[in-house]
Amino acid sequence: LLASLLNGACLCLYDFGSRGVTGLGRWIAEERITSLNLPAAVARQWNGCGAPAVAVPDLRDIRFSGAAANGRDVERLLATLPGTWRAWASYASSEAGSVTRAVPAPADALPPGTLHVGTPVAHRVVDLLDDAGAPVPPGEPGEVVVRGRFMATGYWRRPELTAACFRDEPDGTTSYRTGDLGRLDA
């Protein structure tokens, strides 16, 4: 929300409680939405509800968030939201803020598997570690650990959880064990 407002965008919020998921496409067209932040879980619910197709000529990109999105999610959305929009994914958390960002790609050119979340943003280092805290080789799953200077340093009044997830590093950065799994590809 803050990034939109700080960059001069008009921020439009959709009320699922009163409008339901089936009205989302019509709302995107009516509001002339150009950039949509869409949780992957909402995309899947919307894809499965039989909502009518709505042309969205103003829509330029959809950023998937909240969970891993895949090419099939995008393919199904193209049937509901015909247009030339691009799709992309990113990875973020409340504790670390923005962690990675991918370059938007044409929605009809994405592979069917999980969307790539991109590369680390400035001032973030991402490591993938095994249970013992050692780096995993490329292609193997490991816990996502984020390091940087501009992140949370712990949880308020939760010293045990803070000790389990956060660590001050010798270089002055903080590392945060996310509990999420990731895999480094080419």
Side-chain angles (χ1 to χ4, degrees):
L1 299 176
L2 188 59
S4 299
L5 295 174
L6 288 176
N7 286 289
C10 173
L11 183 62
C12 301
L13 301 175
Y14 183 77
D15 183 3
F16 285 100
S18 66
R19 299 186 77 161
V21 72
T22 58
L24 187 56
R26 190 171 51 257
W27 175 81
I28 291 168
E30 288 168 1
E31 294 292 332
R32 300 185 66 194
I33 301 297
T34 57
S35 183
L36 180 66
N37 183 358
L38 186 66
V42 172
R44 290 186 186 115
Q45 183 180 6
W46 188 17
N47 282 334
C49 77
V54 178
V56 287
D58 297 304
L59 187 62
R60 293 190 309 243
D61 70 278
I62 295 178
R63 174 185 171 254
F64 291 93
S65 62
N70 60 56
R72 283 188 206 83
D73 296 328
V74 175
E75 182 181 302
R76 293 180 71 193
L77 275 181
L78 274 171
T80 305
L81 295 175
T84 57
W85 49 270
R86 299 167 78 79
W88 59 292
S90 64
Y91 180 73
S93 72
S94 298
E95 297 87 349
S98 290
V99 177
T100 68
R101 186 168 298 128
V103 175
D108 58 358
L110 292 168
T114 302
L115 296 185
H116 194 285
V117 295
T119 57
V121 298
H123 308 291
R124 294 287 182 268
V125 175
V126 176
D127 296 312
L128 299 176
L129 306 179
D130 64 18
D131 292 337
V136 297
E140 295 296 318
E143 182 180 6
V144 177
V145 178
V146 182
R147 285 186 290 126
R149 291 190 186 279
F150 311 106
M151 304 190 334
T153 56
Y155 296 108
W156 188 58
R157 295 186 178 178
R158 303 280 311 268
E160 308 82 25
L161 188 57
T162 295
C165 296
F166 291 91
R167 188 171 83 195
D168 294 328
E169 299 295 342
D171 63 359
T173 62
T174 298
S175 63
Y176 167 61
R177 295 186 72 105
T178 66
D180 295 337
L181 293 178
R183 184 177 51 83
L184 180 64
D185 62 15

